[in-house]
Amino acid sequence: MKLARCIFQAFAIAIFFGQCVSSAPTGNSKPLQIYCIDVEGGQATLFVTPQGESLLIDTGWDGFNGRDADRIVAAAKDAGISTIDYVLITHYHSDHVGGARQLAARIPIGAFVDHGDNMETNDAPAMTGWNAYQKLLASGKYKRITVKPGDTLPIRGAEFIIVNGGGKVLDKPLSNAGTKNENCEPVPPPAADHTENEFSLGLVMNFGNLRLVDLGDLPWAKELELVCPVNKLGHAYIYIATHHGFNGSGSPALVHGITPSVAIMENGAKKGGSPSAWDTVRSSPGLGALYQLHWSEEGGAAHNSASHFLANLEGPDGGHYFKITVRPSGEFVVLNSRTGQRDDIGPPRLY
Ligand SMILES: [Zn+2]
């Protein structure tokens, strides 16, 4: 099976320093491109469909001389786009909405997508992010689209379905989903999280047979509403680890329920990448590879992937990213911008 072989090859790289290099997608059909951009423990994930339409999930942090906005613009340029059609703000924490102002100063944006108004009005950083976002909207330059679970984003070339947002989750299963989840046995949950995280937007992307899950910073208890007792999300080929791989999210019920083949943890050196969350992903049945944007200091030697799977190693930061190029067949290539190596991942498993 190609998936198993290639993922075995990918692991072999880490051990034997061999190669699992493949050619770029071939054929006439254009691929879908996904960039997992390093914004130092925040989120900025850019999707560009074969039709050239684009969705950015979150904008990283404010400040740092526009570091995160510059990295997003560089990814957009690499993808061949000069406008970002939709910028989805999962929630109003500063590692998600913070970079919106600087990004808007650097590249045209069509519309912002959000879950509604800020729900954490007693938190100064959330209010700062919210106020700056409101100011941006007040310029009148941008359309604002507020969405709820079950809504589909108006983007051509891939299907983006909102599955959580505003404190609610899908009320019925997606297509190819809805079976009983065998991973719902009680596990001691982490402390409850009633911050803006609870209101995070999250989505499922369907591109042919390939399903990707990204729930933003959704807390554990809300994840359970999505996958227990029945799994409303079904199986996902790619899992963007919830909440940067922080242990307040990433329950076994979610991760082992959706059984990803490939997981990507958008963590920083000192943010996310918790050992227990890492263990849950690593022990997920059928997982082939866990990519991390950063070596996690908290994870140490025992809870980090091999260097082949890390975009940024321990020490000075290079701002490296992962680029995923998905063929219409669902097969995809993961490029690590630090090493230039490409892992060729086979077609999605059929269930
Ligand atoms: Zn976050």
Side-chain angles (χ1 to χ4, degrees), residues 95-96 217 244 271:
D95 55 325
H96 296 262
D217 284 1
H244 323 284
K271 189 163 173 294

Side-chain angles (χ1 to χ4, degrees), residues 48-338:
V48 182
T49 72
Q51 282 80 356
E53 299 200 357
S54 51
L55 167 70
L56 174 71
I57 300 182
D58 289 327
T59 61
W61 305 85
D62 191 13
F64 307 103
N65 294 316
R67 176 199 66 201
D68 294 354
D70 284 342
R71 290 178 181 180
I72 294 165
V73 171
K77 192 174 172 193
D78 188 80
I81 57 171
S82 53
T83 295
I84 299 178
D85 298 313
Y86 299 92
V87 174
L88 183 149
I89 302 296
T90 59
H91 62 298
Y92 301 111
H93 283 162
S94 45
D95 55 325
H96 296 262
V97 72
R101 178 182 61 86
Q102 292 175 322
L103 183 68
R106 284 164 170 76
I107 190 168
I109 292 169
F112 284 94
V113 181
D114 63 42
H115 71 64
D117 293 354
N118 174 38
M119 300 299 285
E120 197 178 356
T121 52
N122 59 353
D123 180 73
M127 281 305 293
T128 300
W130 167 242
N131 288 335
Y133 177 58
Q134 280 190 299
K135 200 171 164 190
L136 204 53
L137 294 176
S139 69
K141 292 183 189 168
Y142 310 105
K143 189 174 172 186
R144 179 187 182 191
I145 304 172
T146 296
V147 293
K148 61 183 187 311
D151 289 349
T152 300
L153 300 182
I155 299 173
R156 290 183 308 145
E159 184 180 42
F160 295 92
I161 307 169
I162 302 298
V163 298
N164 54 275
K168 296 189 164 57
V169 304
L170 279 180
D171 58 7
K172 58 177 191 288
L174 297 174
S175 61
N176 300 322
T179 56
K180 184 172 182 294
N181 185 351
E182 304 296 337
N183 303 281
C184 291
E185 313 86 59
V187 175
D193 178 350
H194 297 302
T195 67
E196 258 288 302
N197 292 332
E198 193 171 33
F199 300 88
S200 267
L201 285 177
L203 57 76
V204 158
M205 183 206 71
N206 293 318
F207 181 71
N209 289 326
L210 184 141
R211 176 165 288 180
L212 173 150
V213 167
D214 180 347
L215 305 183
D217 284 1
L218 194 69
W220 182 295
K222 286 286 171 191
E223 289 178 337
L224 297 191
E225 291 180 25
L226 269 172
V227 295
C228 292
V230 300
N231 176 0
K232 295 174 186 171
L233 302 180
H235 295 285
Y237 199 41
I238 302 177
Y239 167 56
I240 305 293
T242 314
H243 204 174
H244 323 284
F246 172 65
N247 61 15
S249 304
S251 60
L254 170 70
V255 182
H256 296 192
I258 65 174
T259 54
S261 295
V262 169
I264 299 181
M265 197 170 273
E266 298 184 334
N267 65 305
K270 299 175 187 291
K271 189 163 173 294
S274 305
S276 62
W278 190 93
D279 281 340
T280 299
V281 176
R282 270 301 337 153
S283 63
S284 184
L287 187 93
L290 167 53
Y291 294 91
Q292 299 172 230
L293 276 179
H294 272 267
W295 160 269
S296 161
E297 291 186 13
E298 189 187 351
H303 300 92
N304 274 287
S305 294
S307 62
H308 173 80
F309 301 95
L310 304 179
N312 295 283
L313 304 176
E314 203 173 1
D317 190 84
H320 298 294
Y321 59 88
F322 295 115
K323 176 183 177 182
I324 306 169
T325 306
V326 189
R327 300 180 181 99
S329 63
E331 296 172 273
F332 63 93
V333 173
V334 181
L335 166 71
N336 182 334
S337 81
R338 177 179 60 82

